[in-house]
Each structure stands twice: as C-alpha cells, then as structure tokens.
Amino acid sequence: MEISLESKIEGLLFYKGEDVSIKKLAELLKVSELEIEEGLKKLETSLAGRGLVLVRKNDSVVLGITSELSPLIESIRKEEVTKELSKATLDTLAIILYKNDTSTSSGVSRSEIDYIRGVNSSFILRNLLVRGLIEKITDAKDSRRALYRPTFETLSFMGITSIDQLPNYTQVRTQLQEALNNQTENND
Amino acid sequence: MEISLESKIEGLLFYKGEDVSIKKLAELLKVSELEIEEGLKKLETSLAGRGLVLVRKNDSVVLGITSELSPLIESIRKEEVTKELSKATLDTLAIILYKNDTSTSSGVSRSEIDYIRGVNSSFILRNLLVRGLIEKITDAKDSRRALYRPTFETLSFMGITSIDQLPNYTQVRTQLQEALNNQTENND
Amino acid sequence: MSEEVISSPYSVRTGTFEGPLELLLSLIEQRKLFVNEVSLAEVTNDYIAYIKTFSDTSSEKHIADVSYFILISATLILIKSKSLLPNLSLTDDETEKITDLETRLKLYKIIKSASMEIGNNFGTKIIFMPNERIWSEPIFSPDPLITSQNIGSSIMEVIAHLPKKAEKIPEVEVKKIINIDEIINSLTDRIQNAMNLSFKEFTRSSGAGNQEEAKVHVIISFLAMLELVREGIIDVMQNSSFGDIEINKQQEALEIRPLELQN
C-alpha cells in the first residue's frame, strides 16, 4: 500500500529536522506545489492534539514540538547540559582535541572517532554538540563529510592557547595516526 | 487542555532523536513504567500508516521514518549508506540477533559466538561495534563478562520495528533450542 | 570406503572458508547428507586435504585460523577411526566431543540459513533515524572534568585500547604442525625397519616439543596410520581398550612408497 502524501511530507520533515521550502518538497516528492499545499493542510489536521506541530515560515515548513511541551523539553535540555560528563564522552572529547589540526583548522570525522574508540559514537557527539564543547564543520576536501573540532570556548576553558600544549601532544598524534593507517590497510 | 501521554512521549522522542529507555521516559514524564507502556501502545496505533514509526528493542524506544520512505531518504542523504556485510559478519550478526532474548535485556557472549562459528570472532565483533550494528553490555550475572546485543541501527537496516519481525524469528529460535536440547539428551 | 581413493568430485577451493565448521558443513551439503556421524566420517579426508593446503600457501588469514581447523580435525579423526575400527572404544570425553561437534554443526547450519535471509534483507528497506541535530543554539556548558590533565589521561587510555595489528603465528610453526606427508613418510620408514612398532613408541620418537604440540602430533600420527591402513600397507591391532595400538607391516605390501594423501 502506498502511503499518503501527508505521511511522506511528515517523514521527510522529520528526517531533515530543518526548514524545507515547499518548492523543495514538491521536487523531492515529485508532485506539484499545489499538491504539497493540500498535503500540508491534511498533515496539520492529523497533527492536532499530538506532540508535533507543523511550523510555517514564509514558503518553508518545519516539524516542531508542540509548545505545550516546552517546559518538559526545557527541563530535559537542562539535564543534558548539566550532567557530569561520562568517561566515554571525555574520551571522545580527548580524541577530538588531539586530532584537531590548528594549522589547517580541520577536524576529525565520525568514522575516525568510531574506529579509534572501537564503538559507535553518534549519541556522544550529539551531547558534546548540545553542550557547545565541539562544533561540526564540513570537510573542505569532501563536502559530504562532516568533521568535528573543539570550540574556542573549550580550549579557553582548559586554559590552553594552542592544542600542542596538551600532554604528550606529538607522541599521541603519531600513535593515533598509526592506528588510522592500519584501518586503511585492513579495509583493503 | 492537557495533552495526552502518548503525545508527550512522541514530542520527547522527537526531541531526543535517539533511543530512550522506558525507565527514563517514566522518570521524565513523572508517570509509572506501566503507564508508559500503555502510552507507547497508543502511540503505535496513532502512528499506523503515517510517516513515522516507533521502533522497540529491549527496554528502549526510538522514533524512525517509515521504511516506505527509505528510497527517498537514501537519495537525499549526504552520507553514503554502507550495506555490504561479509559472509562472516552476517553469520556473527545472525547469531547475535537470533540468540538475543527479547524478554530479558541480556545478550550473547563472545564464547557462544565462537562456539557456533568455530573461529575467533573478536575482529568481526569490533567491526560490528564500530559500525554501530551491535553494542557491548556487561553481563548482569558476571560483571567480568561482556555480552553483545543488536542495536536500533540493526533493526533499522532490516526495516523492522522489533526483533521478533526478523525473518522466521520464532522458527529459527525453536530450531536452535532443539539442537541444543538434543545434545543434552545425548550426553545424559 | 573405496570411493575415497578415487579422485574426489567434492573439491574444495582454497581460501573460501572462514572457519572449520563452514568448511565441514559445505562438504556435507555438497554430498546432500544430513549432519551426523556417518556423514562426518565421510568428509574427513576432504577436510584433511583442505587443511593440508594451508602448509602450501602463505595466506595470512589461513595461518591465523589454522589452530581452529586443527582442533576440529582431532574430533573428526576420532569419528573416522570409529568408523574404520569398529572395536575402538571411546572415552566419555571423546563421545561428548563427537556429540558436541554434531550440535555445533547443526547450530551453524541454522544460523547459516538465517544469515542468508539477513543478507538478503539488509539495507533493502531502511527505517532511517532523523539527521543528528540539536534543537536550539548550543549553550557552552563545560564540566570541571575537562582539564588538560584529565584529557591527557583519557587519551592515554584510548591509545592503550587501540586495535593492534593481528598477531601472526609464524608460518614455520604451522608447517611443522600440519605436515601430514612428512609423518606418513616417517611412519613408512619405521615400518620398513621393524615389523612391529607400537603407536606410542612411534609418536614418542618423533620428538614433539610441548604438550599442545604433542597432542596435535599424536592426532596427526594417528591419522597417518589410518591412511596407511586404508592403503593396505599396515595392519593395526589394539589389544585392549585404551591400550597401545600395535602396528604391523602387511606381508603383501611389496613396495612401500611415500603416500599422497590428496588423491
């Protein structure tokens, strides 16, 4: 059974998590803008009383959380940013700090972090992002790849002016690089 | 008007964008775990035919995008989706999936995996961990022992919302149990 | 067992098997047999022939996993001996090993077909999770744990757990362990020198080093002996359970030649 257009819009907006223009929706779902408008109306109706709302901004739409849940979301957010960093989170931050190249201001990719840690790190990265401890940038060499690097605030919080002031900086970098080179070999 | 519990759960899961345990939901929404269970059932019903699905595993839940939108999402994703798994990796994953007990939150130990495969699986387990297809937990009965269990990522790649939707799930589990029972009988 | 002498149609290709159970299951399934003692005895020779290819190739993967293949071969040889020497009595431990191997193969067979289903479905219809996102501007929220010193010790721990390059068992060692031809030839030589030879004496004089190595040596010697029995070159007698096995050169065997196990 083919799912309805409004359900498609809902899924798409949920995936994106950001404003999408009506024009873009029409293009992606291969229907007219008029049909998208109709779909959006139906979606609005089906969302009534639910946890999500459709927010319209000019010619764009985004899926948001109903304002009735604002106090709840605010308390969750507060908990997220104030709880003590777990050991795994600290390890991940350490990798991002040491792998950050100040001279080229590039960062480290998620797959590199995952390989070094031996586990998947996506949730941890989200937490570090929410707390403003790291930021996400686009790889200059490959626009599809996201890279992570420490924020300026993190460095100043640690009281260091440049990354190479971290303990055993050169040695650690060499060892991390060797491990990543092994990964490339193993994948051949 | 106070919004319903299932809508609150929906909004919360939407905000998190990652799996949340039933215990945590109960804590955040200040209701009992039993009420959360009921709320989840209602949410599942209200999501039927829509763009979002509720995926459940052990004692956690996450909101995902219906698999019917899979081709569309894949086409707009920046990161490439890696679907290739070697024969050995698939075998290992199958053991972890079918030997995983959905009722308890336990997993499978490396020695059980090695026993069935007849070879050392540590390298493959590491790859699966890095890819986020399995997770490592500590055995509740023996803290020195690590157990492996599937992740939401695995369910999502299989396009299923709970483990028992795996191909021939009950049948395979029964067969595995029978093979083990025969051994015990023979040894008596 | 005459069909074993002629060139086996169930040839196995080198390098395609991840582990011993996969190899065994494939050999059994090629013959369209069920997993049981009879089928296991039937595929033993092909299994050994496959193991022998390890010593001819220098593939790293093989060498790393060779010990697993050898372990299973010990049980297979027990099964094979039982089928060739019906009087051979097995200890409880040995019987258990045989049952255990059958169970493992049955489990593996179930997993194998489940795994194929997984492979067919994996990634064909994906329930995507939303893009990683944060809903509002991040507010810098540090933690007192973030100090140079803590970060320094965190990274040292990460480094301590970095994946190490797979350790390789030296190739020479493996060759030493699994050279069946060599043992057959040595056994042949000894029979030429003495009409009677005890199995225990034979394995002892072949000079094995540590205990593990000695065990493997006994297994392979025993296998070699069974091969010679099959070829009609020697006779074996075991006078009592757990007793020594007596090896006699058969009078009719006019010429003793080095044997090729792999026909």
Side-chain angles (χ1 to χ4, degrees), chain B:
Chain B
M1 190 197 79
E2 173 82 342
I3 65 164
S4 66
L5 182 62
E6 65 262 33
S7 298
K8 285 184 184 171
I9 298 173
E10 186 181 36
L12 206 154
L13 290 175
F14 180 78
Y15 170 77
K16 279 285 192 176
E18 61 186 38
D19 60 278
V20 184
S21 72
I22 288 171
K23 198 173 152 225
K24 185 82 193 168
L25 283 174
E27 201 184 299
L28 290 168
L29 295 168
K30 298 187 179 64
V31 294
S32 71
E33 292 186 30
L34 209 72
E35 285 171 281
I36 293 291
E37 284 286 0
E38 279 167 25
L40 287 171
K41 277 198 193 96
K42 285 188 189 159
L43 181 58
E44 249 167 353
T45 316
S46 87
L47 289 179
R50 300 251 318 275
L52 314 182
V53 285
L54 190 69
V55 186
R56 304 188 62 154
K57 183 183 72 74
N58 301 334
D59 296 324
S60 301
V61 284
V62 68
L63 270 185
I65 296 131
T66 173
S67 64
E68 297 179 63
L69 289 176
S70 167
L72 176 69
I73 305 289
E74 210 176 317
S75 70
I76 60 171
R77 249 177 89 102
K78 282 184 179 173
E79 273 172 273
E80 224 176 293
V81 188
T82 324
K83 296 172 188 169
E84 282 76 43
L85 293 180
S86 72
K87 209 165 55 166
T89 310
L90 276 172
D91 287 354
T92 310
L93 191 59
I95 295 169
I96 296 172
L97 281 169
Y98 286 92
K99 294 266 308 171
N100 177 63
D101 201 328
T102 39
S103 54
T104 65
S105 299
S106 66
V108 188
S109 72
R110 205 193 86 187
S111 62
E112 284 175 90
I113 299 166
D114 288 353
Y115 178 78
I116 298 180
R117 293 192 58 235
V119 275
N120 185 303
S121 307
S122 41
F123 184 71
I124 290 170
L125 285 171
R126 190 173 197 282
N127 275 342
L128 283 168
L129 283 168
V130 170
R131 284 194 57 176
L133 291 173
I134 59 168
E135 60 190 355
K136 198 173 172 177
I137 53 164
T138 307
D139 189 348
K141 287 172 235 141
D142 178 359
S143 61
R144 286 163 308 172
R145 209 163 82 128
L147 297 176
Y148 300 91
R149 66 178 188 197
T151 60
F152 279 98
E153 188 89 351
T154 325
L155 297 193
S156 105
F157 267 100
M158 293 297 295
I160 56 176
T161 55
S162 76
I163 291 212
D164 52 20
Q165 290 168 10
L166 281 169
N168 313 314
Y169 182 75
T170 320
Q171 193 196 339
V172 172
R173 281 185 64 93
T174 315
Q175 286 175 338
L176 289 173
Q177 201 48 55
E178 274 169 8
L180 286 168
N181 288 347
N182 278 343
Q183 179 182 31
T184 327
E185 277 165 33
N186 286 348
N187 285 346
D188 281 347

Side-chain angles (χ1 to χ4, degrees), chain C residues 78-91:
Chain C
L78 267 177
I79 297 172
K80 180 84 177 173
S81 332
K82 208 177 136 194
S83 77
L84 288 175
L85 311 166
N87 292 334
L88 187 80
S89 66
L90 300 178
T91 64

